[in-house]
Amino acid sequence: MITTNPFDDDKLREECGIFGISGAETASAIVALGLHALQHRGQEAAGITSWDGHDFHTHRAMGHVAGNFDRDDVIRALPGDAACGHVRYSTTGETSLRNVQPLYAELSSGGFAVAHNGNISNAMKLRRELIRRGSIFQSTSDTEVIIHLVATSTYRTLLDKFIDALKQVEGAYSLIVMTPEGMIACRDPLGIRPLVMGKLGDSIIFASETVAFDVVGADYIRSIEPGELVIVTHDGQVRSHRPFGDVHPRPCIFEHVYFSRPDSIVDGSSVYSVRKAIGAQLAIENPVEADYVIPVPDSGVPAAIGYAQQSGIPFELGIIRSHYIGRTFIQPGDKVRHLGVKLKHNANRALIDGKRIVLIDDSIVRGTTSLKIVQMMREAGAAEVHMRIASPPTRHSCFYGVDTPERTKLLAHRLDVGGMQDFIHADSLSFISIDGLYKALGEAKRADIRPQYCDACFTGDYPTTLTDQDEAVVQNQLELLAERVV
């Protein structure tokens, strides 16, 4: 089998989405609806854990939310007025049911369920230390490290144990935790991964994106601040804790470029409006004479609208996407495999034939997608094909909860822009500058000393230490040295 979504397969992938609600009679059903809205953040697996006042109940399954959580018998088996859920696309840990979240454990204080968006960049080191001290792991997920750190903490209260655990981890995390005492939502001190709070009647809701509130009819209250813990007790009291002190936030800039749905609000900004502004800035920096501006569906649409409005070149749908094709199908040979590409996307030949076109996409990762798109436009009769990318070149891997190819597989790491243009066979290729991207986000430019966002995938400026990655690099160098000696 291969994917029938060749454009999306060459995208960076967010690890997951989380959703939780406290104080609702139909908590698990509301969580299921919220997870539907967050499905774009992870299509590999989904899970929900509920609390009925006495016991925790969990259902986890491989695949999409639809088909697993739209059955009455599944929701009835998840009773209670508090629940949290998770959709997953793995960046750490194997693809198996034991890694599907929420993860659950019985601690000395009672049940403990956790849903995590992000990546713990020192998880392997912590895991080795915990195993030496006697911990027994049931999964290969980095999230389980948090559970063991809480379980082995010498602090007295559960909240203090949890804070103690968080102070030992590096990297990025937004967490929703359920305990017999209530629900905790928290965000790492740099706020790399998003988390928002809303209200549905008297119920408090947390989610990765505000679009999940829209789906369930909830009101958006605010973002959880970087380094903030919000506790909701089962009697409805809400408390905020900030145990990490003052740290300069660095939220992920790629949430605005690609990850979040355009109808979401991320850190107070409309994603749709930001992407249009990115497209407009891209047109200012990289103009070209052409007949049409054409988006690569669906993620390139808002930036293409902004580019067209700024440049005065008409916006047109030159690539038509079918939304009725399943994700995989049997491929009997190379010829049919090539034809299968057009099941998902097809060129609007009558529009494109003989025209000079500007293709707008959000990013170039391996370059295979851009190559296919340019080829598709050539075959449809385009006179010229110019590509404009609504982000700077992706030259570095992400270690904060985004599934990124190894750095050597990133096209922008291997080639300069001219080489990339030759690789995809475009008449021209240009990217928005890093300062232009910041300008579209409302900043004058990227600050060299204190950048406002995590933009490591573009700049290589990682805002935290990368313990596991550094150890892996050293180990690899030692192995290469040993091979040379032999």
Side-chain angles (χ1 to χ4, degrees), residues 96-123:
S96 67
L97 191 60
R98 66 174 177 160
N99 286 331
V100 180
Q101 299 183 32
L103 297 183
Y104 176 80
E106 287 286 345
L107 307 184
S108 60
S109 56
F112 187 94
V114 57
H116 170 209
N117 174 25
N119 189 60
I120 306 303
S121 59
N122 64 335

Side-chain angles (χ1 to χ4, degrees), residues 364-368 393-396 406-417 419-420 423:
I364 292 181
V365 184
R366 294 180 178 90
T368 53
T394 304
R395 295 192 172 98
H396 305 271
E406 295 177 8
R407 192 180 178 193
T408 55
K409 295 180 180 178
L410 295 170
L411 192 66
H413 171 71
R414 297 190 288 110
L415 301 171
D416 61 15
V417 174
M420 296 173 73
F423 178 86

Side-chain angles (χ1 to χ4, degrees), residues 22-290:
S22 179
E25 291 184 5
T26 56
S28 59
I30 295 171
V31 170
L33 288 173
L35 293 181
H36 272 287
L38 300 174
Q39 187 73 84
H40 60 287
R41 298 184 75 90
Q43 296 94 48
E44 189 176 88
I48 295 176
T49 296
S50 68
W51 161 253
D52 65 7
H54 301 282
D55 299 304
F56 288 88
H57 309 269
T58 297
H59 183 79
R60 302 181 296 166
M62 305 303 296
H64 289 188
V65 178
N68 286 312
F69 291 96
D70 53 2
R71 293 163 32 204
D72 289 341
D73 60 324
V74 172
I75 297 301
R76 284 198 300 270
L78 296 167
D81 65 359
C84 69
H86 186 275
V87 288
R88 180 176 193 258
Y89 184 90
S90 61
T91 61
T92 61
E94 65 196 29
T95 301
S96 67
L97 191 60
R98 66 174 177 160
N99 286 331
V100 180
Q101 299 183 32
L103 297 183
Y104 176 80
E106 287 286 345
L107 307 184
S108 60
S109 56
F112 187 94
V114 57
H116 170 209
N117 174 25
N119 189 60
I120 306 303
S121 59
N122 64 335
M124 293 306 298
K125 180 180 180 181
L126 291 171
R127 184 186 181 99
R128 289 194 298 269
E129 294 172 353
L130 287 161
I131 290 173
R132 279 197 295 268
R133 286 156 47 188
S135 293
I136 300 173
F137 281 76
Q138 301 298 316
S139 76
T140 59
S141 169
D142 60 330
T143 308
E144 191 178 358
V145 167
I146 296 172
I147 295 176
H148 286 276
L149 290 174
V150 173
T152 58
S153 174
T154 58
Y155 282 82
R156 186 176 62 84
T157 69
L158 178 59
L159 178 60
D160 287 338
K161 289 175 182 287
F162 184 54
I163 294 172
D164 178 41
L166 295 182
K167 287 184 175 180
Q168 298 178 62
V169 303
E170 301 170 358
Y173 56 82
S174 285
L175 302 171
I176 297 176
V177 173
M178 291 175 57
T179 76
E181 298 178 17
M183 180 174 287
I184 306 172
C186 67
R187 200 172 173 193
D188 69 76
L190 296 178
I192 298 175
R193 301 262 65 86
L195 191 62
V196 291
M197 180 167 64
K199 194 169 186 180
L200 179 63
D202 294 327
S203 305
I204 298 297
I205 304 181
F206 303 101
S208 294
E209 293 183 37
T210 59
V211 67
F213 298 159
D214 299 334
V215 169
V216 302
D219 295 321
Y220 167 58
I221 298 176
R222 64 177 177 88
S223 292
I224 303 301
E225 296 297 324
E228 182 184 16
L229 280 72
V230 176
I231 302 169
V232 183
T233 62
H234 291 304
D235 60 3
Q237 297 182 48
V238 180
R239 304 195 309 272
S240 174
H241 293 259
R242 301 175 188 271
F244 299 105
D246 293 330
V247 181
H248 180 64
R250 294 279 300 273
C252 173
I253 202 167
F254 219 86
E255 290 285 347
H256 297 279
V257 174
Y258 174 69
F259 294 143
S260 295
R261 270 181 43 167
D263 44 346
S264 282
I265 297 171
V266 173
D267 290 323
S269 298
S270 160
V271 175
Y272 178 77
S273 297
V274 167
R275 288 179 187 167
K276 281 182 62 179
I278 292 173
Q281 183 65 27
L282 182 61
I284 293 170
E285 294 183 354
N286 301 289
V288 64
E289 291 186 4

